[in-house]
């Protein structure tokens, strides 16, 4: 039961986000309270850190927050408009998104991470821990995109990220050979997804495009079919 005289979880979390933003200001991030999120623009790329409140927060008991990252590219958005997939549509903000996820999913072995600011005696420590996690996990993740080939080679094997989007990123920023190589490496390392890819590719060639997304193997098969990848050697 909520303590109606206690601090409201939303107010606590906004204050915590502002404190995190103060610590990351020198890293070039601006704070958008309406998100709430942090944002940094670097040439073509936009790095976003999103703060999400747990809907099960209770005044006086729980003021938990999850942190997510996303990386967007203006070049990616333009490329997708010129090379549309059936599920992308047009002029959507999501066209620019390369990849992202909950902070624990930005690690090679994904995990769930959250911070609870309800206990005032531990609030400063929780803020510092959240900021430290951003510095040690998110900032190196963002830094990978300074060299697109490195980002693709590293992140294609992270299980919780969006492999189909990374392949599109490779096509847009590095080239077809790099995209094909990354897909080959990923499918070779993931036989179950490779099997779904083969099944989807057969379906596409017999019946036409798959118009919805949600299965990694099917999404990769659509990209391979449209861009005439040659992956017969895997």
């Amino acid at each position: 039961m909520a303590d109606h005289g206690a601090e409201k979880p939303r107010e606590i979390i906004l204050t915590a986000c502002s404190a995190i933003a103060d610590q990351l200001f020198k890293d070039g991030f601006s704070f958008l309270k309406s998100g709430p999120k942090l944002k940094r623009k670097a040439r073509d790329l936009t790095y976003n850190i999103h703060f999400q409140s747990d809907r099960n927060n209770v005044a006086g008991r729980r003021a938990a927050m999850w942190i997510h990252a996303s990386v967007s590219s203006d070049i990616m958005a333009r490329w997708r408009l010129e090379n549309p997939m059936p599920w992308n549509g047009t002029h959507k903000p999501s066209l620019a998104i390369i990849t992202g996820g909950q902070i624990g999913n930005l690690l090679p072995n994904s995990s769930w991470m959250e911070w609870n600011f309800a206990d005032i005696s531990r609030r400063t420590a929780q803020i510092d821990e959240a900021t430290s996690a951003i510095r040690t996990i998110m900032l190196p993740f963002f830094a990978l995109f300074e060299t697109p080939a490195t980002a693709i080679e590293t992140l294609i094997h992270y299980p919780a990220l969006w492999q189909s989007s990374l392949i599109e990123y490779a096509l847009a920023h590095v080239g077809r050979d790099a995209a094909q190589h990354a897909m080959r490496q990923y499918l070779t390392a993931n036989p179950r997804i490779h099997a779904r890819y083969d099944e989807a590719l057969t379906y596409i060639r017999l019946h036409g495009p798959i118009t919805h997304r949600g299965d990694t193997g099917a999404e990769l098969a659509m990209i391979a079919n449209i861009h005439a990848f040659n992956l017969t050697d895997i």
Side-chain angles (χ1 to χ4, degrees), residues 93-105:
S94 60
L95 289 178
I97 296 177
I98 300 167
T99 192
Q102 181 265 140
I103 188 170
N105 290 343

Side-chain angles (χ1 to χ4, degrees), residues 193-215:
I193 294 174
H194 189 183
R196 298 205 303 271
Y197 164 90
D198 287 339
E199 181 181 349
L201 193 59
T202 299
Y203 176 92
I204 291 164
R205 288 171 174 170
L206 289 173
H207 304 289
I210 294 171
T211 58
H212 56 279
R213 71 183 312 169
D215 180 86

Side-chain angles (χ1 to χ4, degrees), residues 29 53 101 104 115 142 154 192:
F29 287 93
S53 299
W115 290 268
F142 291 150
T154 302
R192 290 184 179 180

Side-chain angles (χ1 to χ4, degrees), residues 76-135:
M76 183 85 264
R78 290 194 296 271
W79 185 90
R80 282 189 172 129
L81 285 172
E82 295 167 359
N83 299 271
M85 298 297 289
W87 49 75
N88 277 342
T90 59
H91 301 296
K92 295 180 180 179
S94 60
L95 289 178
I97 296 177
I98 300 167
T99 192
Q102 181 265 140
I103 188 170
N105 290 343
L106 307 181
L107 296 167
N109 298 306
S110 58
S111 65
W112 187 258
M113 302 174 71
E114 73 172 28
W115 290 268
N116 185 358
F117 305 104
D119 184 348
I120 194 169
S121 69
R122 297 195 66 248
R123 193 169 298 164
T124 298
Q126 287 281 284
I127 289 168
D128 290 343
E129 287 175 18
T131 305
S132 177
I134 290 170
R135 289 193 184 282

Side-chain angles (χ1 to χ4, degrees), residues 29-83:
F29 287 93
S30 57
F31 181 47
L32 286 72
K33 186 177 179 180
S34 58
K37 70 177 184 178
L38 296 171
K39 180 178 180 179
R40 185 177 78 195
K41 182 76 174 174
R43 300 177 299 281
D44 163 63
L45 297 170
T46 301
Y47 305 115
N48 287 302
I49 300 172
H50 308 266
F51 302 108
Q52 179 186 359
S53 299
D54 183 354
R55 66 178 181 177
N56 296 314
N57 285 338
V58 178
R61 293 176 54 192
R62 181 171 173 81
M65 180 183 78
W66 308 319
I67 306 176
H68 307 264
S70 68
V71 182
S72 298
S73 159
D74 298 333
I75 293 173
M76 183 85 264
R78 290 194 296 271
W79 185 90
R80 282 189 172 129
L81 285 172
E82 295 167 359
N83 299 271

Side-chain angles (χ1 to χ4, degrees), residues 21-30 40 131 134-135 139:
D22 288 343
Q23 295 191 51
L24 293 170
F25 177 77
K26 64 183 179 182
D27 296 286
F29 287 93
S30 57
R40 185 177 78 195
T131 305
I134 290 170
R135 289 193 184 282
L139 297 193

